[in-house]
């Protein structure tokens, strides 16, 4: 079996589990390819990884059976950008903080390896958002698992986002910005701006305004086969766009169309992993001092 691993820095408490993971992978003769940035971090911190195979860009990624993301949800989003249309199954080890997407705790890494070898897991297909523009805003990586966001720049006043749904005028959002979220991203930025939580396989997008000037403007759930087009006006003549962790400063001549990507992200989940359990645990639903 061949696997690729991408990660970021991790705290000392996770180190013994990660060192044990590399040792166990070597014992099982599993071929490993590391992302260049993760390899540099491992070498810098003295973590033995027993591999020389490295990829510097998504084009150099070999043909692994699966990809391991080691970090938090942000690291997993970055890992998905490395995979793209290849749709290689991906699993997240949570050495970060919240962990809605990266759900395997470090202490269960050994169990994870055993389950992966035995095929005791499930594949969770997640829809992606795709952004089309007259300029290359994201270096060809125009897809995201969580959300696409238009926001004002730090020094500007609020912006106006003229929004069209399937070429029919929807609204002019006078606000700090606008979020188009997938169901996966519904527990992220959109949630903090008052958007609803969607179960992962809802065939929908959420259009969520950020601090709208008109308080009667609310988030809107639309079908994910809709085409969303945005025209942005700003006093500073520029604004910020972001797609998961990637960002770009655009000007008013930038044309933006958002739609569902024609490929999906394939997340590996352990058999006892449940979105509803994660939702309760991460958002502390039902926890009350009176109970």
């Amino acid at each position: 079996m061949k696997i690729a691993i991408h990660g970021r820095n991790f705290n000392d408490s996770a180190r013994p589990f990660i060192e044990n993971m590399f040792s166990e992978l070597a014992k099982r003769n599993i071929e490993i390819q590391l992302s260049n940035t993760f390899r540099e971090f491992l070498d810098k911190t003295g973590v033995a990884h027993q591999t020389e195979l490295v990829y510097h860009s998504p084009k150099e990624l070999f043909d692994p059976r699966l990809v391991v993301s080691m970090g938090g949800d942000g690291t997993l989003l970055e890992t998905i950008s490395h995979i793209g249309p290849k749709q290689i199954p991906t699993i997240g080890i949570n050495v970060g903080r919240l962990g809605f997407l990266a759900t395997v705790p470090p202490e269960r890494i050994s169990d994870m390896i055993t389950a992966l070898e035995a095929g005791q897991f499930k594949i969770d297909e997640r829809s992606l958002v795709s952004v089309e523009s007259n300029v290359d805003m994201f270096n060809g990586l125009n897809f995201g698992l969580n959300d696409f966001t238009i926001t004002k720049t730090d020094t500007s006043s609020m912006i106006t986002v003229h929004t069209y749904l399937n070429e029919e005028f929807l609204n002019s959002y006078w606000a700090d910005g606008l979020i188009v979220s997938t169901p996966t991203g519904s527990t992220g930025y959109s949630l903090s701006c008052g958007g609803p939580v969607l179960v992962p396989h809802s065939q929908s997008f959420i259009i969520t305004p950020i601090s709208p000037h008109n308080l009667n403007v609310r988030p809107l759930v639309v079908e994910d086969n809709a085409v969303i087009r945005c025209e942005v006006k700003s006093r500073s003549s520029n604004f910020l766009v972001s797609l998961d962790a990637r960002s770009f400063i655009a000007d008013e001549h930038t044309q933006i169309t958002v739609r569902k990507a024609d490929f999906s992200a394939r997340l590996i989940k352990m058999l006892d992993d449940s979105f509803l359990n994660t939702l309760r645990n991460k958002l502390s639903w039902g926890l009350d001092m009176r109970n």
Side-chain angles (χ1 to χ4, degrees):
M1 184 168 68
K2 300 190 334 187
I3 68 172
I5 305 176
H6 173 61
R8 294 181 183 170
N9 58 334
F10 47 79
N11 55 41
D12 289 338
S13 63
R15 180 177 178 127
F17 298 105
I18 293 169
E19 290 177 330
N20 183 64
M21 179 192 73
F22 282 114
S23 177
E24 196 164 336
L25 291 173
K27 289 178 183 177
R28 297 176 188 234
N29 295 316
I30 296 175
E31 190 175 2
I32 304 169
Q33 185 186 36
L34 300 174
S35 69
N36 180 58
T37 53
F38 192 45
R39 162 72 182 273
E40 289 179 347
F41 172 75
L42 294 175
D43 289 345
K44 182 179 179 180
T45 53
V47 175
H49 47 75
Q50 296 135 339
T51 181
E52 297 298 325
L53 292 175
V54 176
Y55 71 92
H56 296 78
S57 70
K59 293 181 180 179
E60 297 178 2
L61 188 65
F62 68 0
D63 56 339
R65 178 179 169 186
L66 58 96
V67 179
V68 174
S69 169
M70 187 163 292
D73 287 350
T75 307
L76 193 140
L77 294 176
E78 198 170 70
T79 304
I80 294 297
S81 74
H82 296 179
I83 297 168
K86 295 178 181 178
Q87 298 188 111
I88 304 167
T90 307
I91 189 165
I93 298 173
N94 184 25
V95 291
R97 291 185 291 272
L98 193 58
F100 263 102
L101 300 173
T103 54
V104 178
E107 59 270 19
R108 291 200 62 192
I109 290 177
S110 183
D111 295 337
M112 178 199 77
I113 296 172
T114 300
L116 292 175
E117 279 202 312
Q120 297 176 342
F121 58 87
K122 53 191 175 183
I123 299 291
D124 196 5
E125 299 272 351
R126 299 291 184 94
S127 59
L128 301 167
V129 63
S130 173
V131 180
E132 300 170 1
S133 177
N134 58 328
V135 296
D136 183 7
M137 299 188 293
F138 304 109
N139 297 318
L141 301 176
N142 66 328
F143 57 89
L145 178 58
N146 260 10
D147 48 44
F148 169 72
T149 304
I150 300 170
T151 56
K152 66 176 187 176
T153 53
D154 291 340
T155 58
S156 65
S157 58
M158 65 178 65
I159 58 178
T160 304
V161 186
H162 303 297
T163 306
Y164 299 80
L165 190 64
N166 297 325
E167 290 305 320
E168 181 179 353
F169 179 65
L170 171 62
N171 188 34
S172 292
Y173 292 95
W174 189 15
D176 283 355
L178 192 70
I179 305 166
V180 179
S181 169
T182 66
T184 299
S186 69
T187 54
Y189 194 8
S190 175
L191 180 65
S192 69
C193 294
V197 174
L198 300 184
V199 294
H201 303 110
S202 303
Q203 296 178 327
S204 304
F205 285 149
I206 310 167
I207 301 175
T208 307
I210 304 169
S211 302
H213 184 70
N214 297 317
L215 298 182
N216 57 341
V217 175
R218 290 291 181 263
L220 177 68
V221 178
V222 301
E223 63 276 13
D224 66 4
N225 61 0
V227 178
I228 303 163
R229 183 169 63 85
C230 300
E231 299 174 356
V232 184
K233 299 298 179 183
S234 168
R235 289 183 183 177
S236 62
S237 299
N238 60 50
F239 54 95
L240 184 70
V241 293
S242 60
L243 187 57
D244 286 351
R246 306 178 297 280
S247 61
F248 177 83
I249 295 180
D251 60 37
E252 291 185 335
H253 302 291
T254 305
Q255 301 171 16
I256 298 171
T257 302
V258 183
R259 66 179 80 229
K260 182 180 178 180
D262 56 7
F263 56 93
S264 60
R266 306 183 71 209
L267 304 184
I268 296 174
K269 298 293 183 181
M270 296 294 95
L271 296 180
D272 60 354
D273 190 348
S274 163
F275 172 76
L276 298 183
N277 286 340
T278 301
L279 197 64
R280 289 194 303 272
N281 292 335
K282 301 301 181 181
L283 296 184
S284 300
W285 283 10
L287 296 182
D288 193 306
M289 292 179 62
R290 297 170 296 178
N291 297 328

